[in-house]
C-alpha cells in the first residue's frame, strides 16, 4: 500500500461529497495530506466565501485527514514536492487534467501515481456541491 496520499481542493462549505472524497483518498495510503486552495488561486469557479485559514482548519479536523495545509501562493507543486506523496487523489469532478498533472510531475522529477476518486451517490435530500448549498440558502433565506 502507498504511504503518503495528497488530496486537494477548495473545500469552501464542507458537505458529504467532500467527506466521501477524503475518506476514499485516505484509503489509498497510510497518511492523508490535504492541500486547501488559497482564495487568490481559485480561478475555475467563484472565489470561496470562507476564509483560507478557516477552511484549512475545518478540513484538518476531519477524521480521514492527517494534515491539512494551505496551497502555495504561486506554485501548486511546491507542497507536493515537500510532502513527496506516493499518490495524488483527484476528486471525481475536479477540473484537473490527470494526464497534464502526470506530465508536470514527471517534468519536476516527482514519482507518484495519480488516481481519481469515485463520486458519492447522491440521495434526493442531499446537497453535494458548495454552489448548490449557496443557491439553496439564497433561495430559502435571501431577501
Amino acid at each position: 500500500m502507498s504511504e503518503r496520499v495528497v488530496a486537494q481542493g477548495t473545500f469552501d462549505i464542507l458537505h458529504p461529497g467532500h467527506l466521501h472524497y477524503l475518506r476514499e483518498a485516505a484509503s489509498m495510503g497510510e497518511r492523508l495530506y490535504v492541500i486547501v486552495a488559497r482564495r487568490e488561486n481559485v480561478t475555475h469557479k467563484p472565489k470561496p466565501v470562507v476564509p483560507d485559514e478557516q477552511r484549512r482548519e475545518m478540513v484538518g479536523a476531519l477524521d480521514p485527514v492527517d494534515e491539512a495545509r494551505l496551497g502555495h501562493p504561486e506554485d501548486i507543486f511546491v507542497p507536493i514536492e515537500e510532502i513527496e506523496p506516493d499518490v495524488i487523489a483527484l476528486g471525481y469532478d475536479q477540473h484537473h487534467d490527470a494526464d497534464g498533472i502526470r506530465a508536470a510531475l514527471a517534468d519536476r522529477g516527482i514519482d507518484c501515481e495519480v488516481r481519481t476518486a469515485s463520486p458519492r451517490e447522491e440521495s434526493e435530500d442531499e446537497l453535494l456541491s458548495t454552489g448548490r448549498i449557496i443557491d439553496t440558502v439564497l433561495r430559502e433565506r435571501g431577501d
Side-chain angles (χ1 to χ4, degrees), residues 53-73:
E53 183 55 35
Q54 183 177 333
R55 289 182 290 114
R56 189 216 54 81
E57 182 180 355
M58 293 302 295
V59 168
L62 297 173
D63 283 344
V65 179
D66 293 296
E67 182 182 317
R69 61 172 72 182
L70 290 175
H72 189 272

Side-chain angles (χ1 to χ4, degrees), residues 43-89:
T43 58
H44 62 287
K45 60 184 177 182
K47 301 283 186 200
V49 296
V50 177
D52 291 352
E53 183 55 35
Q54 183 177 333
R55 289 182 290 114
R56 189 216 54 81
E57 182 180 355
M58 293 302 295
V59 168
L62 297 173
D63 283 344
V65 179
D66 293 296
E67 182 182 317
R69 61 172 72 182
L70 290 175
H72 189 272
E74 289 107 30
D75 185 346
I76 64 169
F77 289 97
V78 167
I80 293 170
E81 289 173 332
E82 292 170 353
I83 296 166
E84 297 180 336
D86 301 292
V87 176
I88 294 177

Side-chain angles (χ1 to χ4, degrees), residues 69-128:
R69 61 172 72 182
L70 290 175
H72 189 272
E74 289 107 30
D75 185 346
I76 64 169
F77 289 97
V78 167
I80 293 170
E81 289 173 332
E82 292 170 353
I83 296 166
E84 297 180 336
D86 301 292
V87 176
I88 294 177
L90 303 177
Y92 89 97
D93 64 347
Q94 288 179 331
H95 70 285
H96 300 295
D97 169 22
D99 289 334
I101 290 174
R102 286 182 188 97
L105 291 168
D107 287 348
R108 290 173 175 252
I110 301 170
D111 181 25
C112 73
E113 186 179 352
V114 178
R115 297 185 197 167
T116 302
S118 67
R120 175 184 164 117
E121 289 191 32
E122 188 170 358
S123 70
E124 209 173 289
D125 62 340
E126 286 186 314
L127 296 171
L128 298 185

